Amino acid sequence: MTTIPTIDFALFDHDPTTCSKQIKEASEVIGFFYLKNHGIRQELIDEVFENACHTLCMKVLQLFAIALEIPDSEGGKSWFENRHRYETPSGDILRILHYPAMKNDEIGKDEIRAGSHSDYGSLTILFQKDVGGLELLSNTTDPPLWTPAPIIPNHVLINIGDLLEFWSKGLFKSTIHRVVFRTNETSADETSFNDERQKASDLDYQDRYSIAYFCHAEDDVKIDPIPSKIINERDENVSRILDKIGHKENAKLDVHKVITAGEYLKCRLDASYKY
Ligand SMILES: O=C(O)CCC(=O)C(=O)O
Ligand SMILES: [Fe+2]
């Protein structure tokens, strides 16, 4: 039986020539290798597996359940949490994003880093590093205005996704957002992307890194009404929301049928990627 080689990465500092030979050989023979003494702290790895992002989302969802006054007989503050269990299959995904640096003269006038969209799931947690550029289309003004969401040290940004907007009959807003080119001037009081772009006219745009955790309901959860008087009393026409999530292009998203979170996500992904 083939054994997968283990390479002592401490050699990287002490004897890089031997280390490079070992890595070359492993890569030529089997293409897999273990590294020991790799320098990534075990506590950090443990934290990733504990999934602090999911835990934070569950706390936020608890607060939503409290705010919506879901009766204890229906699950009370655990109502959403019970539908977003970590061990159960769902569309949850952790994505690390890198937007490469660009020279000013390589960028077209209206070019942006990530096109406008809303997120599909229940909640998104976003971590941004050093270089800003996220903007959301504020629905508190008429007409809606692109509003920067600058990096604030020691803060994470949370946004509502389309599923939660739909589920809450439009009470919670899944706001359209995009990522534009901007410099790393990310103070909280910046207001205008155009001013920013003007100021940056002779600067290049640096790499932007962000990490997004998309929290979705479990695949088998039925998106039936939330047991909340506050939601049930709303007379919001859900067809506005269904329009937004493109159900017209996707006949499978039937307004009158209770679908599961998994079916909903599949429809969205099919509509986006057309595979
Ligand atoms: O990189 C960002 O800041 C935003 C990414 C985003 O909105 C997304 O991936 O859905
Ligand atoms: Fe997004």
PDB file of all heavy atoms in Angstrom, residues 95 97 99 119 124-128 134 149 155-159 177 179 208-214:
ATOM      1  N   ARG A  95     -16.305  31.591   2.737  1.00  0.00           N
ATOM      2  CA  ARG A  95     -15.597  31.917   1.496  1.00  0.00           C
ATOM      3  C   ARG A  95     -14.529  32.960   1.789  1.00  0.00           C
ATOM      4  O   ARG A  95     -14.819  33.973   2.433  1.00  0.00           O
ATOM      5  CB  ARG A  95     -16.623  32.473   0.516  1.00  0.00           C
ATOM      6  CG  ARG A  95     -16.255  32.262  -0.911  1.00  0.00           C
ATOM      7  CD  ARG A  95     -17.361  32.687  -1.855  1.00  0.00           C
ATOM      8  NE  ARG A  95     -18.294  31.630  -2.174  1.00  0.00           N
ATOM      9  CZ  ARG A  95     -19.551  31.838  -2.540  1.00  0.00           C
ATOM     10  NH1 ARG A  95     -20.041  33.048  -2.597  1.00  0.00           N
ATOM     11  NH2 ARG A  95     -20.316  30.820  -2.831  1.00  0.00           N
ATOM     12  N   LEU A  97     -12.192  35.654   0.089  1.00  0.00           N
ATOM     13  CA  LEU A  97     -12.205  36.364  -1.193  1.00  0.00           C
ATOM     14  C   LEU A  97     -10.968  37.232  -1.346  1.00  0.00           C
ATOM     15  O   LEU A  97     -10.556  37.910  -0.395  1.00  0.00           O
ATOM     16  CB  LEU A  97     -13.456  37.251  -1.258  1.00  0.00           C
ATOM     17  CG  LEU A  97     -14.759  36.464  -1.189  1.00  0.00           C
ATOM     18  CD1 LEU A  97     -15.844  37.277  -0.524  1.00  0.00           C
ATOM     19  CD2 LEU A  97     -15.185  36.041  -2.569  1.00  0.00           C
ATOM     20  N   TYR A  99      -9.569  40.113  -4.045  1.00  0.00           N
ATOM     21  CA  TYR A  99      -9.750  40.945  -5.236  1.00  0.00           C
ATOM     22  C   TYR A  99      -8.371  41.504  -5.570  1.00  0.00           C
ATOM     23  O   TYR A  99      -7.808  42.266  -4.786  1.00  0.00           O
ATOM     24  CB  TYR A  99     -10.706  42.102  -4.947  1.00  0.00           C
ATOM     25  CG  TYR A  99     -12.055  41.666  -4.415  1.00  0.00           C
ATOM     26  CD1 TYR A  99     -12.249  41.465  -3.043  1.00  0.00           C
ATOM     27  CD2 TYR A  99     -13.128  41.460  -5.272  1.00  0.00           C
ATOM     28  CE1 TYR A  99     -13.486  41.070  -2.550  1.00  0.00           C
ATOM     29  CE2 TYR A  99     -14.371  41.065  -4.773  1.00  0.00           C
ATOM     30  CZ  TYR A  99     -14.536  40.867  -3.413  1.00  0.00           C
ATOM     31  OH  TYR A  99     -15.752  40.475  -2.923  1.00  0.00           O
ATOM     32  N   ASP A 119     -27.526  38.539  -0.933  1.00  0.00           N
ATOM     33  CA  ASP A 119     -27.085  37.196  -0.553  1.00  0.00           C
ATOM     34  C   ASP A 119     -28.304  36.276  -0.464  1.00  0.00           C
ATOM     35  O   ASP A 119     -29.416  36.719  -0.214  1.00  0.00           O
ATOM     36  CB  ASP A 119     -26.313  37.254   0.765  1.00  0.00           C
ATOM     37  CG  ASP A 119     -25.007  38.027   0.611  1.00  0.00           C
ATOM     38  OD1 ASP A 119     -24.590  38.278  -0.547  1.00  0.00           O
ATOM     39  OD2 ASP A 119     -24.402  38.395   1.634  1.00  0.00           O
ATOM     40  N   THR A 124     -25.346  36.740   6.640  1.00  0.00           N
ATOM     41  CA  THR A 124     -23.944  36.685   6.220  1.00  0.00           C
ATOM     42  C   THR A 124     -23.123  37.456   7.244  1.00  0.00           C
ATOM     43  O   THR A 124     -23.544  38.522   7.692  1.00  0.00           O
ATOM     44  CB  THR A 124     -23.749  37.344   4.832  1.00  0.00           C
ATOM     45  OG1 THR A 124     -24.633  36.737   3.905  1.00  0.00           O
ATOM     46  CG2 THR A 124     -22.319  37.209   4.337  1.00  0.00           C
ATOM     47  N   ILE A 125     -21.965  36.888   7.608  1.00  0.00           N
ATOM     48  CA  ILE A 125     -21.007  37.650   8.430  1.00  0.00           C
ATOM     49  C   ILE A 125     -19.854  37.996   7.506  1.00  0.00           C
ATOM     50  O   ILE A 125     -19.333  37.123   6.808  1.00  0.00           O
ATOM     51  CB  ILE A 125     -20.401  36.821   9.575  1.00  0.00           C
ATOM     52  CG1 ILE A 125     -21.484  36.150  10.410  1.00  0.00           C
ATOM     53  CG2 ILE A 125     -19.518  37.679  10.462  1.00  0.00           C
ATOM     54  CD1 ILE A 125     -20.910  35.393  11.599  1.00  0.00           C
ATOM     55  N   LEU A 126     -19.441  39.256   7.516  1.00  0.00           N
ATOM     56  CA  LEU A 126     -18.357  39.665   6.621  1.00  0.00           C
ATOM     57  C   LEU A 126     -17.200  40.269   7.412  1.00  0.00           C
ATOM     58  O   LEU A 126     -17.400  41.163   8.233  1.00  0.00           O
ATOM     59  CB  LEU A 126     -18.876  40.695   5.621  1.00  0.00           C
ATOM     60  CG  LEU A 126     -17.851  41.049   4.542  1.00  0.00           C
ATOM     61  CD1 LEU A 126     -17.710  39.908   3.534  1.00  0.00           C
ATOM     62  CD2 LEU A 126     -18.248  42.320   3.817  1.00  0.00           C
ATOM     63  N   PHE A 127     -16.012  39.734   7.159  1.00  0.00           N
ATOM     64  CA  PHE A 127     -14.787  40.287   7.730  1.00  0.00           C
ATOM     65  C   PHE A 127     -14.032  40.930   6.569  1.00  0.00           C
ATOM     66  O   PHE A 127     -13.837  40.293   5.531  1.00  0.00           O
ATOM     67  CB  PHE A 127     -13.899  39.177   8.310  1.00  0.00           C
ATOM     68  CG  PHE A 127     -14.594  38.319   9.336  1.00  0.00           C
ATOM     69  CD1 PHE A 127     -15.335  37.213   8.949  1.00  0.00           C
ATOM     70  CD2 PHE A 127     -14.507  38.617  10.682  1.00  0.00           C
ATOM     71  CE1 PHE A 127     -15.976  36.409   9.890  1.00  0.00           C
ATOM     72  CE2 PHE A 127     -15.143  37.827  11.636  1.00  0.00           C
ATOM     73  CZ  PHE A 127     -15.880  36.726  11.236  1.00  0.00           C
ATOM     74  N   GLN A 128     -13.601  42.168   6.739  1.00  0.00           N
ATOM     75  CA  GLN A 128     -12.857  42.842   5.670  1.00  0.00           C
ATOM     76  C   GLN A 128     -11.501  43.250   6.228  1.00  0.00           C
ATOM     77  O   GLN A 128     -11.401  43.607   7.392  1.00  0.00           O
ATOM     78  CB  GLN A 128     -13.574  44.122   5.224  1.00  0.00           C
ATOM     79  CG  GLN A 128     -15.075  43.998   5.058  1.00  0.00           C
ATOM     80  CD  GLN A 128     -15.726  45.328   4.686  1.00  0.00           C
ATOM     81  OE1 GLN A 128     -15.508  45.858   3.616  1.00  0.00           O
ATOM     82  NE2 GLN A 128     -16.531  45.874   5.580  1.00  0.00           N
ATOM     83  N   LEU A 134     -16.840  47.990   0.040  1.00  0.00           N
ATOM     84  CA  LEU A 134     -18.205  47.458   0.064  1.00  0.00           C
ATOM     85  C   LEU A 134     -19.204  48.611   0.150  1.00  0.00           C
ATOM     86  O   LEU A 134     -19.007  49.555   0.921  1.00  0.00           O
ATOM     87  CB  LEU A 134     -18.370  46.529   1.275  1.00  0.00           C
ATOM     88  CG  LEU A 134     -19.746  45.890   1.397  1.00  0.00           C
ATOM     89  CD1 LEU A 134     -19.961  44.833   0.327  1.00  0.00           C
ATOM     90  CD2 LEU A 134     -19.932  45.269   2.769  1.00  0.00           C
ATOM     91  N   ALA A 149     -19.885  50.816   3.336  1.00  0.00           N
ATOM     92  CA  ALA A 149     -19.844  50.096   4.617  1.00  0.00           C
ATOM     93  C   ALA A 149     -18.361  49.948   4.965  1.00  0.00           C
ATOM     94  O   ALA A 149     -17.756  48.916   4.672  1.00  0.00           O
ATOM     95  CB  ALA A 149     -20.522  48.738   4.483  1.00  0.00           C
ATOM     96  N   HIS A 155     -14.773  45.314  14.399  1.00  0.00           N
ATOM     97  CA  HIS A 155     -16.198  45.105  14.148  1.00  0.00           C
ATOM     98  C   HIS A 155     -16.347  44.097  13.004  1.00  0.00           C
ATOM     99  O   HIS A 155     -15.515  44.057  12.107  1.00  0.00           O
ATOM    100  CB  HIS A 155     -16.884  46.390  13.679  1.00  0.00           C
ATOM    101  CG  HIS A 155     -16.998  47.449  14.731  1.00  0.00           C
ATOM    102  ND1 HIS A 155     -15.919  47.933  15.417  1.00  0.00           N
ATOM    103  CD2 HIS A 155     -18.080  48.114  15.200  1.00  0.00           C
ATOM    104  CE1 HIS A 155     -16.325  48.855  16.279  1.00  0.00           C
ATOM    105  NE2 HIS A 155     -17.634  48.983  16.164  1.00  0.00           N
ATOM    106  N   VAL A 156     -17.423  43.322  13.037  1.00  0.00           N
ATOM    107  CA  VAL A 156     -17.764  42.517  11.859  1.00  0.00           C
ATOM    108  C   VAL A 156     -19.095  43.034  11.337  1.00  0.00           C
ATOM    109  O   VAL A 156     -19.867  43.630  12.080  1.00  0.00           O
ATOM    110  CB  VAL A 156     -17.871  41.002  12.155  1.00  0.00           C
ATOM    111  CG1 VAL A 156     -16.542  40.435  12.569  1.00  0.00           C
ATOM    112  CG2 VAL A 156     -18.955  40.694  13.167  1.00  0.00           C
ATOM    113  N   LEU A 157     -19.306  42.804  10.067  1.00  0.00           N
ATOM    114  CA  LEU A 157     -20.524  43.303   9.445  1.00  0.00           C
ATOM    115  C   LEU A 157     -21.473  42.123   9.246  1.00  0.00           C
ATOM    116  O   LEU A 157     -21.052  41.055   8.795  1.00  0.00           O
ATOM    117  CB  LEU A 157     -20.131  43.905   8.091  1.00  0.00           C
ATOM    118  CG  LEU A 157     -21.129  44.811   7.405  1.00  0.00           C
ATOM    119  CD1 LEU A 157     -21.446  46.040   8.255  1.00  0.00           C
ATOM    120  CD2 LEU A 157     -20.566  45.253   6.049  1.00  0.00           C
ATOM    121  N   ILE A 158     -22.736  42.312   9.596  1.00  0.00           N
ATOM    122  CA  ILE A 158     -23.733  41.247   9.417  1.00  0.00           C
ATOM    123  C   ILE A 158     -24.775  41.756   8.424  1.00  0.00           C
ATOM    124  O   ILE A 158     -25.187  42.919   8.508  1.00  0.00           O
ATOM    125  CB  ILE A 158     -24.464  40.935  10.745  1.00  0.00           C
ATOM    126  CG1 ILE A 158     -23.483  40.739  11.895  1.00  0.00           C
ATOM    127  CG2 ILE A 158     -25.454  39.792  10.585  1.00  0.00           C
ATOM    128  CD1 ILE A 158     -23.086  39.348  12.199  1.00  0.00           C
ATOM    129  N   ASN A 159     -25.174  40.935   7.488  1.00  0.00           N
ATOM    130  CA  ASN A 159     -26.312  41.344   6.657  1.00  0.00           C
ATOM    131  C   ASN A 159     -27.317  40.212   6.491  1.00  0.00           C
ATOM    132  O   ASN A 159     -26.990  39.040   6.612  1.00  0.00           O
ATOM    133  CB  ASN A 159     -25.868  41.943   5.319  1.00  0.00           C
ATOM    134  CG  ASN A 159     -25.178  40.963   4.410  1.00  0.00           C
ATOM    135  OD1 ASN A 159     -24.013  40.666   4.568  1.00  0.00           O
ATOM    136  ND2 ASN A 159     -25.922  40.446   3.438  1.00  0.00           N
ATOM    137  N   HIS A 177     -25.911  44.820  -2.458  1.00  0.00           N
ATOM    138  CA  HIS A 177     -24.591  45.390  -2.180  1.00  0.00           C
ATOM    139  C   HIS A 177     -23.627  45.045  -3.306  1.00  0.00           C
ATOM    140  O   HIS A 177     -23.936  44.224  -4.173  1.00  0.00           O
ATOM    141  CB  HIS A 177     -24.073  44.928  -0.808  1.00  0.00           C
ATOM    142  CG  HIS A 177     -24.142  43.453  -0.585  1.00  0.00           C
ATOM    143  ND1 HIS A 177     -25.309  42.793  -0.271  1.00  0.00           N
ATOM    144  CD2 HIS A 177     -23.196  42.483  -0.669  1.00  0.00           C
ATOM    145  CE1 HIS A 177     -25.071  41.504  -0.154  1.00  0.00           C
ATOM    146  NE2 HIS A 177     -23.776  41.280  -0.402  1.00  0.00           N
ATOM    147  N   VAL A 179     -19.052  45.580  -4.476  1.00  0.00           N
ATOM    148  CA  VAL A 179     -17.711  46.010  -4.024  1.00  0.00           C
ATOM    149  C   VAL A 179     -17.104  46.860  -5.127  1.00  0.00           C
ATOM    150  O   VAL A 179     -16.989  46.413  -6.270  1.00  0.00           O
ATOM    151  CB  VAL A 179     -16.797  44.802  -3.714  1.00  0.00           C
ATOM    152  CG1 VAL A 179     -15.440  45.279  -3.218  1.00  0.00           C
ATOM    153  CG2 VAL A 179     -17.434  43.881  -2.678  1.00  0.00           C
ATOM    154  N   ARG A 208      -7.685  43.485  -2.181  1.00  0.00           N
ATOM    155  CA  ARG A 208      -8.666  43.480  -1.089  1.00  0.00           C
ATOM    156  C   ARG A 208      -8.912  42.029  -0.695  1.00  0.00           C
ATOM    157  O   ARG A 208      -9.057  41.156  -1.558  1.00  0.00           O
ATOM    158  CB  ARG A 208      -9.980  44.105  -1.566  1.00  0.00           C
ATOM    159  CG  ARG A 208     -11.136  43.898  -0.586  1.00  0.00           C
ATOM    160  CD  ARG A 208     -12.403  44.556  -1.113  1.00  0.00           C
ATOM    161  NE  ARG A 208     -13.581  44.010  -0.474  1.00  0.00           N
ATOM    162  CZ  ARG A 208     -14.069  44.411   0.698  1.00  0.00           C
ATOM    163  NH1 ARG A 208     -13.477  45.386   1.360  1.00  0.00           N
ATOM    164  NH2 ARG A 208     -15.146  43.858   1.212  1.00  0.00           N
ATOM    165  N   TYR A 209      -8.945  41.801   0.605  1.00  0.00           N
ATOM    166  CA  TYR A 209      -9.256  40.465   1.129  1.00  0.00           C
ATOM    167  C   TYR A 209     -10.499  40.567   1.994  1.00  0.00           C
ATOM    168  O   TYR A 209     -10.638  41.503   2.793  1.00  0.00           O
ATOM    169  CB  TYR A 209      -8.093  39.935   1.985  1.00  0.00           C
ATOM    170  CG  TYR A 209      -6.840  39.684   1.184  1.00  0.00           C
ATOM    171  CD1 TYR A 209      -5.874  40.693   1.035  1.00  0.00           C
ATOM    172  CD2 TYR A 209      -6.627  38.460   0.568  1.00  0.00           C
ATOM    173  CE1 TYR A 209      -4.730  40.471   0.282  1.00  0.00           C
ATOM    174  CE2 TYR A 209      -5.490  38.229  -0.188  1.00  0.00           C
ATOM    175  CZ  TYR A 209      -4.543  39.239  -0.327  1.00  0.00           C
ATOM    176  OH  TYR A 209      -3.412  39.023  -1.080  1.00  0.00           O
ATOM    177  N   SER A 210     -11.375  39.609   1.844  1.00  0.00           N
ATOM    178  CA  SER A 210     -12.496  39.557   2.781  1.00  0.00           C
ATOM    179  C   SER A 210     -12.858  38.091   3.015  1.00  0.00           C
ATOM    180  O   SER A 210     -12.493  37.212   2.220  1.00  0.00           O
ATOM    181  CB  SER A 210     -13.700  40.342   2.240  1.00  0.00           C
ATOM    182  OG  SER A 210     -14.136  39.800   1.035  1.00  0.00           O
ATOM    183  N   ILE A 211     -13.509  37.853   4.120  1.00  0.00           N
ATOM    184  CA  ILE A 211     -13.981  36.497   4.438  1.00  0.00           C
ATOM    185  C   ILE A 211     -15.478  36.611   4.705  1.00  0.00           C
ATOM    186  O   ILE A 211     -15.911  37.448   5.492  1.00  0.00           O
ATOM    187  CB  ILE A 211     -13.286  35.922   5.692  1.00  0.00           C
ATOM    188  CG1 ILE A 211     -11.766  35.893   5.498  1.00  0.00           C
ATOM    189  CG2 ILE A 211     -13.813  34.520   6.008  1.00  0.00           C
ATOM    190  CD1 ILE A 211     -11.003  35.422   6.727  1.00  0.00           C
ATOM    191  N   ALA A 212     -16.236  35.789   3.995  1.00  0.00           N
ATOM    192  CA  ALA A 212     -17.685  35.842   4.187  1.00  0.00           C
ATOM    193  C   ALA A 212     -18.172  34.479   4.667  1.00  0.00           C
ATOM    194  O   ALA A 212     -17.793  33.448   4.108  1.00  0.00           O
ATOM    195  CB  ALA A 212     -18.369  36.222   2.880  1.00  0.00           C
ATOM    196  N   TYR A 213     -18.984  34.499   5.705  1.00  0.00           N
ATOM    197  CA  TYR A 213     -19.632  33.264   6.173  1.00  0.00           C
ATOM    198  C   TYR A 213     -21.120  33.390   5.864  1.00  0.00           C
ATOM    199  O   TYR A 213     -21.788  34.289   6.373  1.00  0.00           O
ATOM    200  CB  TYR A 213     -19.411  33.066   7.673  1.00  0.00           C
ATOM    201  CG  TYR A 213     -20.065  31.806   8.181  1.00  0.00           C
ATOM    202  CD1 TYR A 213     -19.525  30.561   7.901  1.00  0.00           C
ATOM    203  CD2 TYR A 213     -21.229  31.859   8.937  1.00  0.00           C
ATOM    204  CE1 TYR A 213     -20.128  29.390   8.353  1.00  0.00           C
ATOM    205  CE2 TYR A 213     -21.839  30.693   9.397  1.00  0.00           C
ATOM    206  CZ  TYR A 213     -21.280  29.474   9.098  1.00  0.00           C
ATOM    207  OH  TYR A 213     -21.876  28.315   9.538  1.00  0.00           O
ATOM    208  N   PHE A 214     -21.602  32.519   5.003  1.00  0.00           N
ATOM    209  CA  PHE A 214     -23.004  32.563   4.609  1.00  0.00           C
ATOM    210  C   PHE A 214     -23.752  31.493   5.397  1.00  0.00           C
ATOM    211  O   PHE A 214     -23.466  30.305   5.263  1.00  0.00           O
ATOM    212  CB  PHE A 214     -23.155  32.289   3.112  1.00  0.00           C
ATOM    213  CG  PHE A 214     -22.404  33.274   2.247  1.00  0.00           C
ATOM    214  CD1 PHE A 214     -21.113  33.005   1.822  1.00  0.00           C
ATOM    215  CD2 PHE A 214     -22.987  34.481   1.881  1.00  0.00           C
ATOM    216  CE1 PHE A 214     -20.416  33.913   1.029  1.00  0.00           C
ATOM    217  CE2 PHE A 214     -22.298  35.397   1.085  1.00  0.00           C
ATOM    218  CZ  PHE A 214     -21.007  35.111   0.668  1.00  0.00           C
TER     219      PHE A 214
END
